[in-house]
Amino acid sequence: MFDFSLLLSPFLFILPLLFFFFSFIRTKSPSSPSASALKCYPIIGSSLEIFANLNRRIQWTSDLIRASPSATVVLHRFLGTRVVLTGNPSNVQHILKTHFHNYHKGQTFAINLSDFLGGGIFNADGDNWKFQRQVSSHEFNTKSLRKFIETVVDAELSDRLIPILSTAAANNSVLDFQDILQRFAFDNICKIAFGYDPAYLLPSLPQAKFAVAFEDAARISSERFSSIGPIVWRLKRLMGVGSEKRLKLAVGEVREFAKNIIREKKEELKHKSSLDSTDLLSRFLSSGHSDEDFVTDIVISFILAGRDTTSAALTWFFWLLFKNPDVEDQILNEINEKSELPVFDEVKDMIYTHASLCESMRFYPPVPADSKEAVSDDVLPDGTVVRKGMRVTYHPYAMGRLEELWGLDWPEFRPERWLQRDPDTGKWSFVARDPYTYPVFQAGPRICLGKEMAFLQMKRVVAGVLRRFQVVPVGEDGGEPVFTADLTAKMKGGFPVRIVERASRE
């Protein structure tokens, strides 16, 4: 069959020809923080450098921010489009809190993700977002949901994750630990979001249909952001070819699957006043929120939020522990002070582990950069001018590497920077950074609803795994794995490890 996506080829040659032509015509860039470090040309702006660094855009933009005296740069793109990148805490507070009303998700974000997320909470602005936030906040603050999450995580840990790691240790086999953690997180969030167990983390590591469709939908939707221009993916969608054809099929599977579960639960509700299960979907329906599209959108958003964030954080955390055995020893001491099967209240008191997770996410935040769109003209606290419609990106990945925020020892993995020791008892206490210096969980009105539950889950996994096993990277050559990011961060090529039983090492 003829590949209609080839019809797009002439368009794809236009930009390279423009780049070649304008590479001989350097124009002086307008005055802006660290703008002198970038080459800026008529019409195409800094697109040459943008595309040259497309595969390492997070690291490249981080370098630009770190080189700027104000930790802010203005990036000039094709046809005069400008984007503000900032790691300045004052700017972050301005965007996320004090002028929250002026910085929305915006049309670019909404359009790119609309097929997948619809009008869900992570793709919404204004009254739609406010309503979903109120509904979700109420449910997230209930003790019964917390208890349900504890039960789900403990079951997945003891019945699936630990047995798989035990088998791998006995067989001296290699696991992609990133994949294992993603499967673990996906099972958990599906049970929590709508009471469905995809059984993705089984010894056979199956390709569960819903999980594969969800992964395809998330990945292809995120690729729209790095497209040469929206016209490319819109043409492919119009003609039903290539990645857009696959996206349509994946989104169709995800949404139809979710709607079938909603219909089953709504049918159950006809015969009783409320649903027995305590997953989020059952809670929304029992509270009277019965619109099928609304509930589908919000549940899919929560699955996306919980699917990769904790697994991404834990993947890098276990790599950093191997590189810093003294930290691992400290965490083991803390774990061994607890009972054999720590409940969540005990895990909550694991102060050093909590600090270590924060320190890990300082280097490798699950969402390394996030952007907003200006509703009207504005001026940031550092003097950067923002015009209506411009996108402003705050950059947690860069902020975790700023000497001004973390000191000369910022390259060191040092959980103690988050701790303070009591001079009388000798016990550690946790000292949090303000959320505008450390916006890993966002800040202001959009701060992550599941932050505390995410920490509890991560600490439960750390305690359960490290008590019995050491996670040893395979082929460790001393180099840092490649940090990549779509909607959330990943370790390029996976995280191959061997699992070693601690008892066998004594």
Side-chain angles (χ1 to χ4, degrees):
M1 292 180 62
F2 178 73
D3 185 357
F4 287 94
S5 64
L6 293 176
L7 294 174
L8 299 177
S9 298
F11 175 78
L12 299 180
F13 281 110
I14 294 175
L15 285 178
L17 288 173
L18 282 172
F19 294 165
F20 178 78
F21 177 75
F22 283 110
S23 63
F24 298 101
I25 312 175
R26 174 81 185 272
T27 184
K28 184 178 179 182
S29 174
S31 177
S32 61
S34 77
S36 60
L38 284 169
K39 295 178 180 178
C40 190
Y41 303 96
I43 301 178
I44 64 170
S46 297
S47 294
L48 283 170
E49 292 186 66
I50 293 171
F51 283 105
N53 289 281
L54 202 58
N55 291 331
R56 57 179 305 273
R57 59 188 182 278
I58 294 298
Q59 294 86 340
W60 177 63
T61 50
S62 173
D63 290 343
L64 292 176
I65 290 170
R66 291 174 57 206
S68 166
S70 65
T72 301
V73 294
V74 178
L75 198 59
H76 295 249
R77 303 184 69 177
F78 192 59
L79 295 179
T81 304
R82 289 180 294 165
V83 178
V84 176
L85 307 170
T86 188
N88 186 321
S90 296
N91 290 345
V92 176
Q93 183 172 6
H94 182 92
I95 297 160
L96 298 184
K97 184 183 178 183
T98 53
H99 284 67
F100 172 79
H101 61 278
N102 194 50
Y103 293 93
H104 290 185
K105 283 284 187 179
Q107 285 300 304
T108 299
F109 200 93
I111 291 170
N112 283 349
L113 296 179
S114 60
D115 290 334
F116 183 31
L117 297 183
I121 188 169
F122 300 116
N123 206 33
D125 283 314
D127 291 338
N128 182 20
W129 169 81
K130 188 179 294 184
F131 176 68
Q132 292 187 60
R133 179 78 182 194
Q134 289 171 345
V135 171
S136 304
S137 295
H138 172 73
E139 299 301 343
F140 267 85
N141 287 326
T142 59
K143 289 183 179 179
S144 57
L145 179 63
R146 171 176 165 158
K147 183 62 181 175
F148 176 63
I149 291 173
E150 293 173 8
T151 303
V152 166
V153 173
D154 274 345
E156 187 77 10
L157 183 65
S158 59
D159 297 345
R160 290 181 178 169
L161 181 58
I162 296 300
I164 285 175
L165 298 185
S166 184
T167 300
N171 297 335
N172 195 33
S173 54
V174 175
L175 292 177
D176 179 354
F177 204 42
Q178 177 169 254
D179 179 55
I180 295 295
L181 291 168
Q182 286 172 344
R183 289 170 180 269
F184 175 86
F186 192 76
D187 279 355
N188 280 331
I189 194 60
C190 284
K191 293 176 193 174
I192 293 165
F194 52 50
Y196 167 71
D197 180 8
Y200 201 30
L201 182 60
L202 295 179
S204 62
L205 302 182
Q207 290 299 301
K209 187 177 180 182
F210 177 68
V212 172
F214 201 98
E215 168 64 27
D216 287 346
R219 177 179 49 79
I220 298 170
S221 294
S222 72
E223 288 172 357
R224 287 177 169 180
F225 289 96
S226 55
S227 174
I228 291 175
I231 190 173
V232 176
W233 67 258
R234 285 178 175 176
L235 281 173
K236 289 165 73 177
R237 183 175 66 174
L238 181 66
M239 294 186 292
V241 299
S243 59
E244 288 297 316
K245 179 180 179 180
R246 297 194 302 275
L247 176 62
K248 183 178 180 180
L249 293 172
V251 167
E253 284 188 28
V254 169
R255 298 189 73 83
E256 185 58 30
F257 187 89
K259 287 183 177 182
N260 283 337
I261 293 179
I262 291 170
R263 290 166 192 148
E264 291 173 7
K265 289 184 179 287
K266 287 174 75 173
E267 187 64 29
E268 187 182 341
L269 261 178
K270 290 180 180 179
H271 307 290
K272 54 178 70 175
S273 58
S274 62
L275 294 168
D276 296 330
S277 51
T278 51
D279 56 86
L280 283 169
L281 173 57
S282 297
R283 289 169 174 275
F284 290 139
L285 294 175
S286 296
S287 300
H289 304 290
S290 58
D291 181 86
E292 199 169 274
D293 289 327
F294 168 80
V295 179
T296 300
D297 289 349
I298 198 168
V299 168
I300 288 175
S301 288
F302 280 123
I303 293 175
L304 180 65
R307 184 188 69 124
D308 281 347
T309 48
T310 55
S311 61
L314 286 169
T315 297
W316 288 98
F317 175 78
F318 279 105
W319 177 75
L320 281 166
L321 281 195
F322 180 78
K323 300 291 290 184
N324 296 271
D326 54 327
V327 174
E328 183 173 7
D329 288 342
Q330 290 268 29
I331 292 173
L332 274 172
N333 290 337
E334 186 172 65
I335 291 170
N336 290 329
E337 291 174 359
K338 306 300 177 183
S339 61
E340 177 62 27
L341 293 173
V343 296
F344 273 74
D345 284 340
E346 290 176 319
V347 171
K348 186 178 180 180
D349 294 331
M350 294 171 61
I351 302 298
Y352 193 87
T353 304
H354 190 98
S356 300
L357 286 164
C358 288
E359 182 73 345
S360 175
M361 288 187 285
R362 175 174 73 86
F363 285 109
Y364 305 108
V367 180
D370 188 27
S371 65
K372 311 294 181 185
E373 185 177 297
V375 176
S376 60
D377 291 354
D378 194 18
V379 179
L380 299 181
D382 68 358
T384 302
V385 175
V386 177
R387 298 300 182 194
K388 178 182 178 180
M390 282 178 62
R391 296 204 67 78
V392 181
T393 299
Y394 68 96
H395 207 300
Y397 182 93
M399 295 177 78
R401 289 160 168 75
L402 287 176
E403 182 181 313
E404 299 91 327
L405 301 182
W406 303 97
L408 290 171
D409 66 346
W410 75 262
E412 297 179 22
F413 180 64
R414 196 171 65 83
E416 289 77 11
R417 74 176 77 246
W418 297 84
L419 299 170
Q420 188 174 53
R421 194 183 290 278
D422 188 297
D424 298 324
T425 65
K427 291 184 177 181
W428 290 116
S429 60
F430 181 76
V431 181
R433 291 295 186 110
D434 76 81
Y436 311 106
T437 297
Y438 184 74
V440 168
F441 292 92
Q442 284 219 51
R446 277 192 184 262
I447 194 166
C448 176
L449 283 170
K451 175 183 175 181
E452 295 307 317
M453 292 181 184
F455 270 116
L456 290 173
Q457 291 177 67
M458 288 190 291
K459 286 189 281 189
R460 184 66 185 92
V461 172
V462 170
V465 171
L466 290 185
R467 183 187 299 279
R468 288 189 55 182
F469 308 106
Q470 184 185 26
V471 179
V472 182
V474 172
E476 178 66 29
D477 58 3
E480 180 181 357
V482 177
F483 181 92
T484 62
D486 294 318
L487 292 178
T488 53
K490 285 184 173 63
M491 192 178 283
K492 186 177 181 179
F495 184 30
V497 303
R498 293 190 191 277
I499 305 298
V500 179
E501 285 267 11
R502 291 199 180 276
S504 68
R505 299 171 63 240
E506 293 177 354

